[in-house]
Amino acid sequence: MNPLYCYESLHHNYPKQIKDLKNLNIQEMEKLVSSWFNNKTLPQSYIFPPETRPGNHVIPRCNTIPVVDLSKALAYERTAVVQQILEASHEFGFFQVINHGVSENLVNDTMNVFKEFFELPAEDKAGIYSEDLKRPCRLYTSSPNFNSEKVHLWRDSLRHPCHPLKECIKIWPPKPTRYREIVAAYSIEAKKLGLRILGLLSEGLGLGSGFFGNKLSESTVLSLNHYPPCPDPSLTLGVSKHCDPNLLTILLQGDVYGLQVLKDGEWIGVEPLHNAFVVNIGHQLEIISNNKLKSAEHRAVTNSKVARTTAAFFISPSDDCIIEPAKSLIGTDESPVYRAFEFKEFLVNYIYMEGNFEKSVEPFKLHG
């Protein structure tokens, strides 16, 4: 066959191919919880086993997760703030920050545009929906393993990279029309906040300024989770129990409760605070600190009345970055708990182990 004919035929049919692909995506998008949840009973495929479902018991909230006023770190109370962050990171692996320097208007605009995205008509989101795990910017439901998982999560997710910003912004959702402008500004401020917190942690650990710069904090990813009202929140989960595999997470959780942290075998609810961010320690910080900081297991529960939208900003090392306990943190009477490894090696194992807390870190531990 004439190659030129093949090219012309392909070019001529290209609009039809795009249309067919979009129609296929719209059909696939029927899997999204937000497309079918209204007036439905909870499907069996969303009901978790009794030992992992949240149940109806009341979770303690608000008074146990430390709240850090970052404005005090700019004045004479800096040492006290550093110590508060260290203690929270060791005991809970979680804390909230207020007076963090991120404009309240920007925070509100960002949350509003996230909500607007999930409220878009199906045809406007069809180009973003994908079940291809290698696609960097994609909308999906439950988890990346929807077709093979035993139980589905009650959530829809949008995930995309934020670094390098000039390149990544080109693949972000084109709608809502202000999404790229607002989220670009937000991602810059979230990264600044994350580096500021890492700087305070570095100071407290005695690692010196700039320790967590460059490759250790090079990669940034934004993960939006949308949890529609659920017919029976006692039987399902928005996100199952896990630890984050990255360095540090900055969570914008909005004004609807749903985050729970596991401490001493008990679930603690994290109450939403006005214009606050939730910060949690990832596996890599736990490893670098030689277990002086804690990566805590956490989950998201649902509710029956209102939708909840959250945004997790993940700060991670580059794939080829070497991770190991900081040598200056290894005292004469202790040994490193972990061996050196490339971050991508950890990620592969984390995904294979489906985020299991112990199995994710076990291959990287030094024994004896």
Side-chain angles (χ1 to χ4, degrees):
M1 184 179 289
N2 188 320
L4 181 60
Y5 173 80
C6 292
Y7 171 80
E8 289 177 344
S9 176
L10 178 64
H11 182 74
H12 176 75
N13 291 321
Y14 188 67
K16 180 178 182 300
Q17 292 169 342
I18 293 295
K19 184 178 180 181
D20 290 345
L21 179 60
K22 191 171 183 178
N23 289 337
L24 178 62
N25 275 4
I26 290 177
Q27 294 174 15
E28 289 291 329
M29 284 174 61
E30 292 178 359
K31 296 177 182 177
L32 293 172
V33 178
S34 54
S35 69
W36 57 262
F37 75 95
N38 273 325
N39 301 316
K40 299 276 188 175
T41 57
L42 189 66
Q44 184 65 38
S45 59
Y46 286 81
I47 297 177
F48 275 71
E51 65 274 14
T52 57
R53 65 181 64 156
N56 293 311
H57 56 283
V58 177
I59 302 292
R61 287 161 63 174
C62 145
N63 59 349
T64 46
I65 299 299
V67 178
V68 179
D69 185 345
L70 283 184
S71 67
K72 294 181 178 179
L74 300 174
Y76 60 91
E77 296 181 69
R78 182 181 181 87
T79 301
V81 170
V82 168
Q83 188 61 32
Q84 185 183 12
I85 289 176
L86 273 182
E87 290 176 358
S89 300
H90 173 73
E91 185 178 356
F92 295 90
F94 271 79
F95 54 92
Q96 298 202 63
V97 293
I98 57 174
N99 298 323
H100 40 66
V102 182
S103 160
E104 184 173 353
N105 287 337
L106 177 59
V107 170
N108 292 337
D109 287 346
T110 302
M111 179 56 75
N112 287 337
V113 83
F114 290 157
K115 292 178 180 178
E116 288 171 21
F117 171 81
F118 286 108
E119 292 169 357
L120 288 172
E123 56 267 26
D124 289 336
K125 293 183 289 190
I128 302 296
Y129 184 89
S130 176
E131 296 183 5
D132 181 0
L133 301 183
K134 296 181 180 179
R135 183 168 174 176
C137 176
R138 67 189 191 96
L139 171 67
Y140 60 96
T141 192
S142 184
S143 82
N145 303 310
F146 180 88
N147 293 320
S148 60
E149 64 193 9
K150 296 178 180 178
V151 185
H152 300 317
L153 299 171
W154 189 265
R155 70 161 180 183
D156 298 330
S157 292
L158 172 67
R159 186 182 181 95
H160 61 66
C162 298
H163 177 83
L165 184 57
K166 288 184 178 180
E167 295 301 317
C168 292
I169 197 172
K170 299 173 185 177
I171 63 171
W172 291 0
K175 292 184 179 181
T177 54
R178 60 186 193 141
Y179 183 95
R180 293 180 178 181
E181 176 186 358
I182 291 175
V183 177
Y186 175 78
S187 67
I188 291 171
E189 293 303 311
K191 179 68 177 288
K192 286 180 182 178
L193 176 60
L195 291 178
R196 183 181 173 195
I197 292 169
L198 286 169
L200 293 170
L201 282 167
S202 178
E203 184 177 326
L205 291 169
L207 294 175
S209 62
F211 181 88
F212 290 107
N214 301 320
K215 283 191 171 186
L216 272 175
S217 58
E218 184 176 80
S219 175
T220 54
V221 172
L222 189 63
S223 179
L224 312 183
N225 287 327
H226 181 70
Y227 312 93
C230 178
D232 194 341
S234 69
L235 298 179
T236 191
L237 287 167
V239 178
S240 53
K241 182 176 70 172
H242 70 289
C243 287
D244 291 349
N246 54 307
L247 192 70
L248 192 76
T249 302
I250 308 292
L251 176 70
L252 177 59
Q253 72 161 339
D255 56 2
V256 180
Y257 167 73
L259 175 63
Q260 296 179 348
V261 177
L262 189 64
K263 184 180 186 297
D264 301 328
E266 298 290 335
W267 287 107
I268 298 173
V270 181
E271 189 78 9
L273 299 180
H274 177 69
N275 197 35
F277 289 100
V278 179
V279 181
N280 72 278
I281 305 302
H283 274 308
Q284 306 315 305
L285 257 181
E286 182 175 62
I287 292 167
I288 291 169
S289 70
N290 208 41
N291 287 348
K292 291 176 174 61
L293 305 181
K294 175 184 178 181
S295 180
E297 292 180 292
H298 53 286
R299 69 184 184 184
V301 295
T302 62
N303 73 84
S304 60
K305 296 180 180 179
V306 294
R308 177 173 180 256
T309 301
T310 66
F313 188 81
F314 299 118
I315 299 177
S316 304
S318 61
D319 284 350
D320 61 349
C321 184
I322 301 298
I323 306 297
E324 62 182 332
K327 292 178 173 58
S328 61
L329 297 182
I330 309 300
T332 55
D333 58 343
E334 64 178 309
S335 301
V337 180
Y338 305 93
R339 65 175 175 84
F341 56 87
E342 284 192 343
F343 178 57
K344 61 184 176 184
E345 182 187 355
F346 184 94
L347 270 185
V348 169
N349 184 67
Y350 177 89
I351 294 170
Y352 181 73
M353 295 300 176
E354 298 180 343
N356 180 280
F357 179 73
E358 292 296 334
K359 293 181 179 178
S360 293
V361 298
E362 184 60 30
F364 307 96
K365 285 185 175 180
L366 294 171
H367 299 280

